[in-house]
Amino acid sequence: MTRQNLLPILRRRAVWIVLALAVLLLLVSAAWMDKTAADSRAEIDRVYDEMDVHFLLNAGRRSLSPGFTITLHQIRRIEHWEFFEDFGCSPISTGVMTSDTGSLLVSNWLTVQWVYDPETAGIRVLEGELGEGFWMTQDYAERYGVSVGDLMPVYKSTRGAGGISVISREIPVTAIIECPVHGVYMSEEGFDDLIKWTGNESPSYTMTDLHFSLKKEYNRRMSEIEKKLQALLNTPNPYDRNRDITVNYNASEIDGMLQPLEKSVASAEFFGKLFRAVLPVVAYMIEIIAMLGFRNEIGVRQFLGERRIAVFFGIWLPSFALCLPGYLISAAVLMATPLGPHTPWGMAAWHLLGNAALTALVTGILCAVKPLDLLREKEHE
């Protein structure tokens, strides 16, 4: 092929420049939208990893009072679920008899309390250790005449065929403590064992404060975990949400952080799909127009006796070669910018293959047309 035969193709510089710009716009737009979506997703991941989700229980929608009733079984389920940390609640207590008379007089009863975090509750050990026994403030130890290491008997009444009988057990005093709220305390294990021994398997407590935080590794599952709490505290039926106990967490704060990022991802994905659908068509239209511009050249060559196959490759190969700089320039620009890692190379490759197929198809169709028809068409323009 001589240089003279290439001149009609080379002279269409404006067409090849426009085509290169169209390809550059396609790849840059797609990469920019992908980068925007990826950056927003990374920010969402960071927010999920760092945000604090705090749960707070309140009175249910059927209650007219600020407090709510919750069973010890429900408290322990929440406390020991692997999802939560920083658990805290109002003090819970149980009563046990301290005399063997079987009387229900108040003076014969000892109130034993449990707190989730002794340190936060202000419990300070004066003597002994916080073991599996009674922890008494100094005044209560003096009242009952005990000290660390002493065994304190407690009693319960049982009714049988022979009437009422009294059963006792001895619980050691393991610590003398100082506490803002004076009284007798026990560890969780000892407290629950004492309740089980008295026969009150799962007492109910009226709470004004019960709170806990979600472990950060479960932040993405907060909606699922909120449903688990609803099923435990109310019922599994979605219509009973917050019926007895309202389950609150800082959803407004979380939504305020996540919703703008989620909208950014959705917007970037939408425009990314739009650019991928529209811009390739624009580039293909430019290619079709460029190839149609060679119909007179194809007609002249065939009219002068050049074989159709030679005409086909003489037009198509140079034209396709002149399309390549657009892709090469686009790749160089993208790799020189932060868009490089987000460049849709797969889309670029498929578009290049489509370019080759489309230019070959249009060239083949023009080569199949009679030369005089191509020339006459040119004369009418």
Side-chain angles (χ1 to χ4, degrees), residues 2 12 73 89 119 192 194 206 220 230 239 264 269 291 358 368:
T2 65
R12 293 184 171 270
H73 166 72
C89 67
E119 183 177 351
D192 290 357
L194 183 63
T206 298
R220 293 178 181 275
Q230 290 286 354
Y239 293 104
S264 177
E269 289 178 343
M291 299 311 297
L358 183 62

Side-chain angles (χ1 to χ4, degrees), residues 33 39 46 51 59 78 122 131-132 141 163 189 192 199 222 239 249 253-254 305 328 346 350 366:
M33 291 298 102
D39 290 347
R46 187 194 65 78
M51 71 182 179
I78 296 172
E132 296 302 324
E189 184 178 347
D192 290 357
M222 57 187 159
Y239 293 104
Y249 67 93
E253 176 189 353
I254 293 167
L328 298 176
W350 280 109
L366 291 175

Side-chain angles (χ1 to χ4, degrees), residues 1 9 291 311-323 363:
M1 181 183 300
I9 302 173
M291 299 311 297
V311 174
F312 172 81
F313 284 106
I315 297 295
W316 175 65
L317 284 178
S319 299
F320 180 64
L322 289 172
C323 294
T363 306

Side-chain angles (χ1 to χ4, degrees), residues 219-364:
N219 280 350
R220 293 178 181 275
R221 297 176 56 189
M222 57 187 159
S223 297
E224 172 194 343
I225 292 169
E226 194 263 346
K227 291 179 182 177
K228 288 180 179 289
L229 286 168
Q230 290 286 354
L232 173 67
L233 300 173
N234 297 293
T235 73
N237 192 324
Y239 293 104
D240 291 332
R241 287 175 60 87
N242 299 327
R243 185 190 68 179
D244 302 311
I245 299 176
T246 299
V247 180
N248 291 313
Y249 67 93
N250 49 329
S252 297
E253 176 189 353
I254 293 167
D255 289 342
M257 292 186 292
L258 292 178
Q259 285 183 354
L261 297 172
E262 291 170 348
K263 289 180 180 178
S264 177
V265 170
S267 177
E269 289 178 343
F270 170 78
F271 283 105
K273 292 178 181 178
L274 182 64
F275 293 152
R276 283 171 165 84
V278 174
L279 294 180
V281 176
V282 173
Y284 287 148
M285 290 299 298
I286 295 172
E287 294 163 12
I288 292 173
I289 293 171
M291 299 311 297
L292 290 176
F294 299 129
R295 57 189 179 274
N296 189 63
E297 180 69 18
I298 293 172
V300 169
R301 290 187 182 184
Q302 291 189 17
F303 187 77
L304 295 176
E306 193 171 344
R307 295 176 59 190
R308 285 185 176 178
I309 189 69
V311 174
F312 172 81
F313 284 106
I315 297 295
W316 175 65
L317 284 178
S319 299
F320 180 64
L322 289 172
C323 294
L324 294 177
Y327 296 93
L328 298 176
I329 293 171
S330 300
V333 170
L334 289 168
M335 291 304 294
T337 66
L339 298 177
H342 304 278
T343 302
W345 299 113
M347 184 189 73
W350 280 109
H351 192 273
L352 179 59
L353 291 175
N355 186 330
L358 183 62
T359 52
L361 176 63
V362 176
T363 306

Side-chain angles (χ1 to χ4, degrees), residues 114-156:
W114 170 83
V115 292
Y116 174 73
D117 187 349
E119 183 177 351
T120 302
I123 292 178
R124 186 169 68 90
V125 177
L126 300 178
E127 184 182 352
E129 61 181 13
L130 302 181
E132 296 302 324
F134 287 142
W135 315 334
M136 293 187 173
T137 53
Q138 191 78 50
D139 54 337
Y140 270 72
E142 293 173 356
R143 179 186 303 179
Y144 290 101
V146 294
S147 60
V148 172
D150 290 345
L151 296 175
M152 185 171 178
V154 293
Y155 305 87
K156 71 172 181 177

Side-chain angles (χ1 to χ4, degrees), residues 77-231:
R77 283 287 302 277
I78 296 172
E79 178 194 356
H80 295 299
W81 257 341
E82 71 274 17
F83 312 124
F84 304 121
E85 59 186 358
D86 301 329
F87 180 90
C89 67
S90 303
I92 62 176
S93 61
T94 188
V96 62
M97 287 192 298
T98 56
S99 73
D100 61 357
T101 62
S103 171
L104 297 180
L105 295 176
V106 174
S107 59
N108 293 329
W109 283 80
L110 174 69
T111 298
V112 182
Q113 302 176 80
W114 170 83
V115 292
Y116 174 73
D117 187 349
E119 183 177 351
T120 302
I123 292 178
R124 186 169 68 90
V125 177
L126 300 178
E127 184 182 352
E129 61 181 13
L130 302 181
E132 296 302 324
F134 287 142
W135 315 334
M136 293 187 173
T137 53
Q138 191 78 50
D139 54 337
Y140 270 72
E142 293 173 356
R143 179 186 303 179
Y144 290 101
V146 294
S147 60
V148 172
D150 290 345
L151 296 175
M152 185 171 178
V154 293
Y155 305 87
K156 71 172 181 177
S157 298
T158 60
R159 184 181 298 274
I164 297 177
S165 61
V166 176
I167 302 174
S168 68
R169 66 182 293 187
E170 292 182 322
I171 298 177
V173 178
T174 62
I176 303 300
I177 61 172
E178 183 180 69
C179 184
V181 181
H182 289 223
V184 179
Y185 295 83
M186 291 188 80
S187 68
E188 179 181 316
E189 184 178 347
F191 183 85
D192 290 357
D193 181 62
L194 183 63
I195 286 179
K196 185 177 181 180
W197 180 74
T198 60
N200 191 2
E201 290 287 345
S202 188
S204 297
Y205 296 94
T206 298
M207 290 277 172
T208 56
D209 175 53
L210 201 160
H211 60 272
F212 39 91
S213 298
L214 192 62
K215 293 179 180 177
K216 293 186 185 299
E217 60 263 33
Y218 295 105
N219 280 350
R220 293 178 181 275
R221 297 176 56 189
M222 57 187 159
S223 297
E224 172 194 343
I225 292 169
E226 194 263 346
K227 291 179 182 177
K228 288 180 179 289
L229 286 168
Q230 290 286 354

